[in-house]
Amino acid sequence: MTVIEQAPWLYPALLWTHMLLVGLSLSLFSARGLGALWQQDWVMRREVRLASVMIDTLLLNAGISLWVLLQHNPLHEAWLASKLVLLVVYVMLGSFALKRARSQGARLACLLAALLCAAVMVMIARTRDPLGWLPF
């Protein structure tokens, strides 16, 4: 008997938790990105950064739990591998959007590119197609 058969509530609970955390993570990142563009001090305060790390850690754990529960493998499923590659790109762009970019224009470009990466990851997750929205 599989885990899903033993605890049918587990998959929907993990899925909804994952989606809620995606929303929280993207909302906080967007707010921090706009704050960085407006040169606000709160963006890099310890408690704000800690909240971001906590949300993203929970999000990653929920995602990994879904992989294990559903027995997904990014080495055998192109859509999941695509999401993981885009996640790395998103994190790098986010770092530039919040602190590493030297100009406001570069910060804006990195913020928009990071949010585009996030949108593509959502589409890939919804379609389970590595091209995301392109097949439509």
Side-chain angles (χ1 to χ4, degrees):
M1 187 177 260
T2 67
V3 174
I4 294 176
E5 292 170 340
Q6 291 175 342
W9 54 269
L10 187 57
Y11 171 71
L14 278 173
L15 182 62
W16 281 102
T17 300
H18 186 70
M19 291 189 303
L20 173 68
L21 290 167
V22 166
L24 288 173
S25 179
L26 288 175
S27 296
L28 183 55
F29 172 69
S30 298
R32 290 181 72 204
L34 290 173
L37 287 174
W38 295 329
Q39 299 176 342
Q40 299 294 304
D41 291 336
W42 66 267
V43 171
M44 296 308 287
R45 284 194 185 136
R46 184 179 187 275
E47 55 274 5
V48 174
R49 289 183 291 122
L50 183 59
S52 180
V53 168
M54 286 175 38
I55 291 168
D56 291 343
T57 300
L58 291 170
L59 175 57
L60 185 60
N61 285 328
I64 290 170
S65 297
L66 285 167
W67 287 3
V68 171
L69 183 68
L70 300 174
Q71 299 177 347
H72 285 302
N73 183 342
L75 298 176
H76 296 113
E77 297 176 66
W79 69 273
L80 191 52
S82 296
K83 273 185 62 178
L84 291 176
V85 168
L86 284 171
L87 178 62
V88 171
V89 173
Y90 168 78
V91 168
M92 291 170 48
L93 287 168
S95 177
F96 277 90
L98 294 178
K99 62 183 170 189
R100 299 194 192 291
R102 295 179 187 237
S103 70
Q104 293 300 91
R107 284 186 185 203
L108 176 60
C110 289
L111 176 63
L112 293 175
L115 292 173
L116 179 62
C117 278
V120 173
M121 284 189 286
V122 169
M123 289 306 299
I124 289 171
R126 291 181 56 87
T127 62
R128 292 197 176 182
D129 187 300
L131 299 177
W133 74 88
L134 293 176
F136 292 117

